[in-house]
Amino acid sequence: MKAFDINDVEHNIADQLEKDIASLTPSSGDRPSSYAPLAKRPVALPEYVTHLDGVTEIGKLSAEAVIREYEAAAKEIEAMGKEIASRHEAISASVAGMLEDVRTTVAHFRKEAKRIFHDIESCSAITEEVRTTCDALKKKMGERTAPVT
């Protein structure tokens, strides 16, 4: 029995691989998306881009891959913007409630300041009245105790 020739084995493997690849490769008119399983088929290109005439299949696939990555990033940015807007609305509502609390507190402080202001002035007026009364009373008492000549 003759030992196998490594060159023949390599040639046979190469031929078989070429045949297998040829059977899996779509014809020139087929798009890769037409033979991909449904779950793996790429989504349609965004409406703001179209392929140029004369672009090679590799160029189209490369451009599609890049636009899909950019579009995915753009959608993430949009989602983030919506989330920020939602948070902003919640914060704005919270701030509006807080401002109402601040206004209520300010009104209470001003009312209390007015009450204390009037209390101090009332005490001051009463004190002045007491002082005036005491002075008048002292004068009267001083006049009565003075010797009559």
Side-chain angles (χ1 to χ4, degrees):
M1 180 169 180
K2 179 180 170 188
F4 63 90
D5 183 11
I6 190 71
N7 290 332
D8 286 340
V9 172
E10 287 176 355
H11 183 67
N12 289 340
I13 291 173
D15 286 344
Q16 186 60 43
L17 282 173
E18 286 178 10
K19 288 177 187 175
D20 291 345
I21 290 171
S23 69
L24 294 174
T25 304
S27 63
S28 61
D30 289 343
R31 303 258 319 135
S33 59
S34 66
Y35 62 86
L38 288 176
K40 304 267 183 184
R41 287 187 186 176
V43 293
L45 288 176
E47 59 191 35
Y48 56 89
V49 294
T50 57
H51 289 293
L52 298 175
D53 292 335
V55 176
T56 65
E57 191 64 25
I58 296 293
K60 287 180 182 180
L61 291 173
S62 298
E64 286 176 11
V66 169
I67 197 69
R68 283 194 183 86
E69 289 300 315
Y70 271 87
E71 186 62 22
K75 287 181 180 180
E76 288 293 323
I77 293 167
E78 281 178 333
M80 186 174 55
K82 288 177 183 176
E83 182 179 338
I84 289 170
S86 174
R87 287 183 184 179
H88 180 275
E89 288 173 4
I91 290 170
S92 294
S94 174
V95 167
M98 182 192 67
L99 287 176
E100 188 57 38
D101 291 346
V102 166
R103 287 183 191 108
T104 301
T105 302
V106 166
H108 174 74
F109 268 66
R110 287 184 173 143
K111 182 179 177 183
E112 190 64 16
K114 183 178 178 180
R115 184 189 67 77
I116 291 171
F117 178 86
H118 286 295
D119 285 353
I120 291 171
E121 286 198 344
S122 294
C123 286
S124 178
I126 291 171
T127 302
E128 185 60 32
E129 186 178 331
V130 168
R131 189 175 294 133
T132 305
T133 303
C134 285
D135 285 344
L137 193 57
K138 280 183 194 178
K139 278 186 182 180
K140 277 187 182 182
M141 286 174 45
E143 290 174 3
R144 285 192 186 167
T145 58
V148 177
T149 38

